[in-house]
């Protein structure tokens, strides 16, 4: 029995991603909903428990809360799912200039800046999930609005006379990439990869000392090993002011994995802490 923890209530983009992932992972027999990303990540503590977390969005970049969970070192990434993300604005009034308050999820806000700028008078009420924004419409007073997943427009009460603006994300090509995680304690050894199978590897690299040329040095290890870096971000370690870690994603083929493992060993021997967040099958 494997359960997958998901940001709820049911109907979020996380839920869409979870169902997509479940289609190719028949061992998952239950989706369990939590009301914020922190609780989703903390819910996995033993074997047979997985969680799905949003990692990166086309328009608004990485999800800081997920990176914070990963940085704590208790989670291990085992898979991924990407879903298209479209939003609609629904308001309980006739015109945008009558909107007094907009319920919007914290990550959705950065994906719908154009429409939000068209309502400068409106106060933003930030929610933890898009379904919590949607649910606010049930008790909407005059002037209340919410940005909701576009596919939920058909779930609005037929009787309500809402103002609706479709496709309010700042790009039609908007997507969010999710990761599936398990507890580090439940980690199983890497499944065998065929030489031509594509993978992603995620890690945090933290230098033990600070000096000039440090990032150049780190990148050199990957470049010399011919490993393809997909993402690189620097962020505070959250332990000591002025100390930074580098979040790195590597993409490659199964045949590159031995070289990757050698590179990580060399980094460790050269005074870098390497937090291995997981290697998993992924298209790129
Ligand atoms: O609230 C949701 O629908 C979610 O699944 C969360 C989330 C996120 O935090 O990135 C997922 C996809 C969208 O980018 C907006 C919100």
């Amino acid at each position: 029995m494997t359960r997958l923890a998901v940001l709820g209530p049911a109907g979020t983009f996380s839920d869409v991603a979870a169902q997509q992932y479940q289609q190719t992972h028949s061992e998952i027999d239950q989706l369990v909903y939590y009301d914020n990303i922190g609780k989703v990540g903390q819910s996995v503590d033993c074997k047979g428990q997985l969680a799905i977390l949003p990692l990166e969005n086309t328009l608004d970049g990485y999800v800081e809360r997920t990176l914070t969970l990963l940085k704590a070192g208790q989670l291990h990434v085992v898979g991924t799912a990407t879903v298209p993300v479209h939003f609609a604005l629904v308001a309980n009034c006739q015109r945008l200039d009558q909107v007094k308050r907009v319920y919007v999820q914290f990550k959705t806000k950065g994906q719908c800046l154009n429409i939000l700028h068209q309502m400068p008078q409106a106060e933003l009420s930030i929610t933890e999930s898009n379904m919590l924004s949607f649910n606010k419409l049930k008790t909407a007073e005059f002037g209340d609005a919410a940005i909701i997943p576009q596919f939920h427009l058909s779930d609005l009460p037929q009787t309500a006379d809402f103002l609706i603006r479709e496709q309010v994300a700042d790009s039609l090509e908007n997507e969010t990439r999710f990761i599936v995680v398990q507890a580090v304690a439940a980690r199983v050894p890497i499944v065998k990869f065929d030489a031509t199978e594509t993978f992603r590897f995620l890690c945090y690299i933290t230098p033990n000392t600070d000096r000039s040329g440090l990032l150049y040095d780190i990148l050199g290890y990957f470049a010399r090993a011919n490993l393809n870096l997909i993402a690189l971000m620097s962020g505070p370690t959250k332990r000591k002011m002025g100390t930074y870690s580098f979040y790195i994603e590597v993409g490659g083929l199964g045949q590159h994995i031995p070289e990757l493992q050698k590179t990580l060993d060399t980094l460790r021997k050269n005074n870098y802490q390497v937090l291995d967040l997981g290697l998993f099958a992924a298209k790129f």
Side-chain angles (χ1 to χ4, degrees):
M1 270 202 29
T2 302
R3 33 164 283 189
L4 179 61
V6 186
L7 176 68
T12 57
F13 286 109
S14 299
D15 196 13
V16 175
Q19 288 177 35
Q20 182 179 307
Y21 188 80
Q22 198 181 17
Q23 275 168 23
T24 49
H25 294 81
S26 52
E27 70 278 13
I28 297 169
D29 50 12
Q30 197 191 4
L31 303 187
V32 186
Y33 299 96
Y34 291 85
D35 54 19
N36 66 49
I37 288 177
K39 287 187 191 166
V40 174
Q42 281 153 13
S43 70
V44 292
D45 53 13
C46 63
K47 243 195 166 120
Q49 292 185 352
L50 299 171
I52 191 157
L53 296 164
L55 179 66
E56 186 186 10
N57 171 262
T58 316
L59 290 162
D60 200 43
Y62 278 83
V63 182
E64 194 52 42
R65 294 187 193 193
T66 298
L67 292 178
T68 302
L69 285 165
L70 291 178
K71 198 175 274 186
Q74 300 305 311
L75 299 176
H76 175 241
V77 185
V78 294
T80 184
T82 299
V83 298
V85 171
H86 302 290
F87 292 109
L89 173 88
V90 178
N92 188 18
C93 50
Q94 285 82 48
R95 299 186 318 266
L96 287 187
D97 63 5
Q98 293 173 323
V99 174
K100 291 191 208 127
R101 174 167 51 185
V102 185
Y103 291 99
V104 58
Q105 193 260 5
F106 65 88
K107 203 63 192 162
T108 302
K109 182 180 157 220
Q111 299 170 50
C112 301
L113 295 175
N114 289 339
I115 190 79
L116 290 171
H117 288 160
Q118 290 172 48
M119 302 175 283
Q121 78 289 352
E123 169 202 327
L124 299 189
S125 198
I126 305 298
T127 67
E128 291 291 326
S129 92
N130 285 305
M131 281 315 280
L132 290 175
S133 306
F134 178 87
N135 286 344
K136 292 287 182 187
L137 290 170
K138 292 180 189 154
T139 51
E141 290 170 12
F142 182 82
D144 278 350
I147 296 185
I148 64 164
Q150 167 114 353
F151 64 89
H152 281 305
L153 279 178
S154 54
D155 302 330
L156 289 171
Q158 298 296 315
T159 47
D161 186 21
F162 286 130
L163 165 73
I164 294 172
R165 287 287 172 92
E166 295 190 27
Q167 299 294 10
V168 296
D170 297 334
S171 158
L172 284 177
E173 263 106 293
N174 194 29
E175 293 184 319
T176 295
R177 179 159 66 104
F178 292 81
I179 46 172
V180 176
V181 297
Q182 64 179 19
V184 163
R187 188 172 185 156
V188 284
I190 296 178
V191 251
K192 227 177 131 3
F193 272 78
D194 291 339
T196 55
E197 210 180 328
T198 50
F199 76 83
R200 278 276 176 122
F201 169 74
L202 276 52
C203 67
Y204 269 108
I205 298 186
T206 312
N208 284 329
T209 51
D210 189 21
R211 61 180 166 81
S212 62
L214 203 80
L215 181 57
Y216 184 78
D217 189 46
I218 296 174
L219 296 183
Y221 289 96
F222 290 97
R224 284 191 294 279
N226 267 321
L227 292 164
N228 186 17
L229 295 196
I230 310 276
L232 166 70
M233 253 185 310
S234 118
T237 58
K238 301 199 178 185
R239 286 198 295 267
K240 194 172 154 227
M241 186 71 166
T243 57
Y244 293 86
S245 294
F246 300 101
Y247 169 85
I248 287 179
E249 286 192 33
V250 179
L253 301 174
Q255 67 199 36
H256 301 135
I257 294 175
E259 202 54 48
L260 172 65
Q261 279 161 344
K262 247 198 277 170
T263 305
L264 301 178
D265 285 345
T266 316
L267 277 156
R268 287 190 176 104
K269 281 185 199 128
N270 284 279
N271 218 14
Y272 293 103
Q273 292 169 43
V274 179
L275 176 61
D276 171 348
L277 297 171
L279 187 151
F280 51 93
K283 295 191 200 89
F284 62 88

